[in-house]
């Protein structure tokens, strides 16, 4: 199986999750009231688990979710799973941000769940945010791949494309961008071979070195997840390509269920 959970989560409706969350948040407020707001995340995690268990609710910490494809493996840890159904991510940030939402959404997709919540203990008052999705695992695998602007100069490009399509077939779309990138680096030869600094120059002016993900000495790849602004981003990719010694930049844009493969050349 490409995605395996150490715990099989029970399906839960939005109303049922709201009822569960009402009980959880009572303990979150009490947790901050007694511990303050300056503890590290693991302290709140341990305290919340202890409070919930004392109240008769199952609360498991660091529930693992493992994602595999061929010989690539990555394991995530869910901060807190309550009542075998509710996924909670605990934070100690100045404020909740989009990256936190994306992290929890990724966990929901991996687990096939639809409801979760972020809880942030650092602000003066506990900050929380519901994260919901209606997407099913079947729907995430219904991707449209656009290859009109894609060119393959050698076997390296073909293998890269086949690796990407294999990942999408196995995992579907919408998952964490870093996950796809790490897997593609792995199948292209590993971080030691693929992630390399290259010199950038503007005319005769040396600008220093910048890291690229190399498929071969003349070709690099970049993976994004843009749903808008792709034309502007392409302009900046071409600027970067001109500064580098590369011949081609293979660009993969995972725009939810629309996958764009674009070859940018000098």
């Amino acid at each position: 199986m490409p995605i395996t959970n150490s715990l099989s989560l029970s399906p839960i409706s939005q109303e049922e999750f709201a009822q569960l969350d009402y009980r959880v948040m009572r303990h979150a407020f009490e947790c901050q009231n007694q511990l303050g707001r300056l503890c590290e995340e693991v302290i709140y995690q341990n305290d919340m688990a202890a409070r919930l268990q004392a109240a008769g609710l199952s609360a498991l910490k660091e529930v693992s979710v493992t994602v595999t494809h061929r010989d690539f493996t990555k394991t995530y840890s869910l901060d807190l799973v309550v009542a075998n159904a509710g996924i909670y991510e605990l934070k100690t940030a100045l404020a909740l941000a989009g990256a936190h939402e994306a992290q929890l959404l990724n966990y929901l997709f991996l687990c096939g769940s639809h409801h979760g919540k972020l809880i942030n203990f650092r602000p003066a008052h506990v900050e929380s945010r519901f994260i919901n999705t209606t997407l099913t695992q079947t729907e995430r695998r219904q991707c449209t791949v656009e290859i009109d602007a894609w060119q393959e100069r050698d076997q390296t490009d073909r293998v890269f494309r086949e690796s990407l399509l294999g990942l999408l077939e196995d995992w579907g779309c919408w998952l964490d961008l870093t996950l796809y990138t790490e897997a593609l680096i792995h199948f292209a030869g590993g971080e030691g071979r693929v992630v390399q600094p290259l010199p950038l120059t503007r005319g005769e002016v040396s600008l220093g070195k910048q890291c690229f993900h190399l498929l071969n000495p003349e070709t690099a790849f970049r993976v994004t997840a843009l749903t808008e602004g792709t034309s502007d981003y392409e302009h900046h990719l071409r600027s970067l390509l001109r500064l580098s010694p590369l011949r081609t930049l293979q660009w993969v844009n995972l725009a939810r269920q629309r996958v764009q493969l674009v070859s940018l050349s000098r």
Side-chain angles (χ1 to χ4, degrees):
M1 292 292 291
I3 302 173
T4 56
N5 303 336
S6 60
L7 177 68
S8 180
L9 300 184
S10 302
I12 188 171
S13 69
Q14 189 165 357
E15 182 180 353
E16 290 170 330
F17 183 69
Q19 293 172 355
L20 173 65
D21 182 66
Y22 179 79
R23 299 177 65 185
V24 171
M25 290 307 298
R26 285 175 51 199
H27 296 288
F29 297 136
E30 293 174 359
C31 175
Q32 193 200 52
N33 286 338
Q34 293 188 17
L35 274 60
R37 61 187 182 92
L38 301 181
C39 295
E40 294 182 0
E41 184 179 305
V42 66
I43 304 301
Y44 297 111
Q45 183 186 45
N46 291 336
D47 190 64
M48 283 292 294
R51 289 174 183 275
L52 292 168
Q53 289 166 0
L57 283 171
S58 168
L60 299 178
K61 301 179 296 180
E62 302 298 328
V63 175
S64 64
V65 180
T66 300
V67 186
T68 61
H69 179 71
R70 290 159 47 190
D71 62 343
F72 172 83
T73 299
K74 183 179 179 68
T75 298
Y76 295 93
S77 292
L78 313 183
D79 280 351
L80 206 60
V81 175
V82 182
N84 202 40
I87 299 176
Y88 285 82
E89 277 299 301
L90 310 183
K91 300 299 177 186
T92 53
L94 292 177
L96 291 176
H100 301 138
E101 295 183 9
Q103 178 191 17
L104 181 49
L105 194 59
N106 181 58
Y107 292 166
L108 295 180
F109 290 148
L110 290 174
C111 296
S113 299
H114 298 290
H115 311 292
K117 197 171 192 182
L118 297 165
I119 302 178
N120 186 17
F121 291 95
R122 184 68 78 231
H125 302 285
V126 174
E127 180 185 18
S128 63
R129 191 174 299 172
F130 286 106
I131 304 297
N132 301 299
T133 178
T134 60
L135 277 178
T136 66
Q137 293 184 350
T138 299
E139 290 171 332
R140 286 198 304 98
R141 285 174 169 79
Q142 296 172 349
C143 305
T144 300
V145 181
E146 301 176 4
I147 60 172
D148 292 344
W150 178 260
Q151 296 179 351
E152 296 179 2
R153 298 184 182 277
D154 53 32
Q155 183 178 359
T156 304
D157 294 329
R158 179 183 61 78
V159 170
F160 176 76
R161 175 180 55 81
E162 291 176 348
S163 296
L164 172 67
L165 296 181
L167 291 173
L168 295 176
E169 182 178 359
D170 216 5
W171 299 344
C173 299
W174 293 77
L175 297 179
D176 179 24
L177 181 65
T178 303
L179 176 63
Y180 298 106
T181 302
E182 289 180 359
L184 290 170
I185 290 173
H186 174 81
F187 294 124
E191 186 171 349
R193 176 188 177 278
V194 174
V195 183
Q196 296 292 334
L198 297 181
L200 299 186
T201 57
R202 179 177 53 80
E204 300 298 321
V205 179
S206 176
L207 303 175
K209 292 187 176 182
Q210 178 162 321
C211 278
F212 288 82
H213 296 156
L214 300 183
L215 295 175
N216 60 49
E218 293 187 331
T219 306
F221 74 88
R222 177 163 292 208
V223 185
T224 59
L226 304 174
T227 56
E228 57 183 20
T230 53
S231 296
D232 182 65
Y233 194 83
E234 179 178 338
H235 168 76
H236 293 288
L237 281 180
R238 291 188 181 278
S239 296
L240 182 62
L241 180 60
R242 286 194 297 270
L243 296 173
S244 78
L246 294 168
R247 179 182 180 184
T248 304
L249 186 57
Q250 301 287 34
W251 177 26
V252 175
N253 186 43
L254 303 174
R256 297 174 180 171
Q257 288 164 299
R258 179 189 180 199
V259 180
Q260 299 165 288
L261 277 63
V262 179
S263 299
L264 306 177
S265 301
R266 285 181 173 275

